[in-house]
Amino acid sequence: MTCGYIVNNGRLQLRKNFRVVPNPVAFFPSLSSSSQDGRASAAAPSVGYALPLLLCVTVLTAFRLGALYFSHTELFFDEAQYWFWSQDLAAGYYSKPPLIAWIIRTFTEICGNGEACVRAPSPLLHAATAMAVYGIGRSLYDARVGFWAGLVYATLPGVSFSSGLISTDVPLLLFVALALWAVVSLREGVTLLRVVALGVALGMGLLAKYAMSYFVLSLVVYALVSAKGRTMLKAPLFYLAPAIAVLFLAPNIAWNVGNGFATFSHTADNAGWGGSLFHWKDALEFLIGQLGVAGPVIFVTFVWLCIARMRQPRGWRTLDDREKLLLAFSIPVLVLMMVQSFISRAHANWAAFAYIAVTVLVTAAMLRANWTRLFRASIGLHIAVMLALGAGGMLAGNFASLGVRDPYSRVLGWRAIADATIAKAHNGGFRAIATDRRALAASLLYYLRDADIPVTAFMHNRKRPRDHFELTRPITKDTPRPILLVSFSKSSQSRGKAIGAVEIAAGTKHRKVYFYAIRGSTD
């Protein structure tokens, strides 16, 4: 799959020459350009770039939607949980703000509740984000940089992976890109339209995921290192933006107040600062994970550029405002997540916020330095990963016949568990189903969505709910008896009478599920 190169006499092509730059700092355009005002010294025209990028992104998105349609994977329990939320639209949910549920509900109303429809928003939102990245690159540098930055983002391994599932990171990244694009414009002058655009992007981003709050940290860092940043923050009109963002978030804040600050508490618990500190292995895993999220060439190049800059005389102070902006919206978040992984834990995707800025910065640097072969190799590798992920989803469940371990085991077997559970319930005359695990509750609610038996959550001697199901669907005295308890734990016999177990294949792995009968009160 090939998506053009640079504009040359109306034709897109990538330069064939390859020049090794002995001084790594030459990657930064500011050192080889007399322009220091945040604009490219020789801006390429936008004609010939926006439409080809749109065509490329459309092809990538069509492939991803097709891969979803033909995929044999089932919803992971986080995805099933988001789907369940979408069936009861609210201003908040236990572990996340509400935007993900609203998005899923919009799409399932159009095309149904199948796995492909639940996941369909992801590739479409990533496509929109790629075009927003184009806008950032074009505004900061020129349309050529915008084109390649948009294409790099659209093909990042992390983007290809998340296009195959539905998660809160996907809408978050769209609004990070839109908010950063607004800041790029605000550097040139604080106007009402630009401030409103920033406020709406911030507000919607916070409704997607609270990680949008990193934007405040990055703005502060940018103001500390940039005169333009300080000028922007000194304008009274600028503070309409956070006011708009708070207005967007107000219903979610009210929901949290009415539900014991469930989402805020869960977010704090996720940080996991209550245990032992200094997790070298977790920090190393997080760092390696960034190679998978951004691709090895993009991430290693970014780190190398940063280190090379620090080793130069006067280091960061010689950067122009464009690089200061992009580094302010990447380095602080990456460092923060690295520290988090060291003192507790951090999943690789927790730093996804940073890769909007990283993509633009590295793309501009590599193009200016003419490292075109490495750049092409990076995009080729990303596309190969995308194709492999798409093919892998179609082969999910069949890897055993190829004699290899199924990498999709985590998203297989959930439907079979639901089928075994409903059969057990009907055969045993049970009038309700209960689970003591969020994973089971989410999967059963999704795959038994057309069943006539309610699914509830079992709380065992706990005063505070630990997930959305325990918050909204706990077993009560009004829950019809007898109840079939489904558990992954064999130790659950204290909660009821053991009545059997079943082993479910999940690719090349197996999950054992235990059944118990609850006939009396659970209070």
Side-chain angles (χ1 to χ4, degrees), residues 28 302 306 316 319 323-332 361:
F28 286 93
F302 174 74
C306 292
W316 303 98
L319 290 171
E323 284 75 47
K324 290 178 181 178
L325 175 70
L326 295 173
L327 290 170
F329 279 86
S330 53
I331 290 179
L361 178 66

Side-chain angles (χ1 to χ4, degrees), residues 302-350:
F302 174 74
V303 173
W304 185 53
L305 290 173
C306 292
I307 294 174
R309 169 60 69 181
M310 293 176 65
R311 296 177 62 185
Q312 296 301 309
R314 300 186 66 235
W316 303 98
R317 284 171 288 190
T318 58
L319 290 171
D320 75 14
D321 198 74
R322 295 169 295 183
E323 284 75 47
K324 290 178 181 178
L325 175 70
L326 295 173
L327 290 170
F329 279 86
S330 53
I331 290 179
V333 175
L334 286 166
V335 170
L336 180 64
M337 290 300 101
M338 191 67 196
V339 171
Q340 165 67 24
S341 69
F342 180 66
I343 64 177
S344 177
R345 66 186 178 96
H347 298 300
N349 66 295
W350 287 9

Side-chain angles (χ1 to χ4, degrees), residues 415-430 432-433 444 447-455 484 486 515:
R415 186 192 301 273
I417 290 176
D419 291 342
T421 298
I422 195 66
K424 194 77 171 178
H426 284 153
N427 292 338
F430 292 96
I433 296 169
L444 291 176
Y447 286 107
L448 297 181
R449 58 187 179 274
D450 296 323
D452 56 354
I453 298 180
V455 177
L484 176 66
V486 189
F515 298 107

Side-chain angles (χ1 to χ4, degrees), residues 152-169:
V152 168
Y153 173 84
T155 60
L156 288 179
V159 169
S160 292
F161 179 80
S162 66
S163 291
L165 48 87
I166 187 71
S167 74
T168 54
D169 285 326

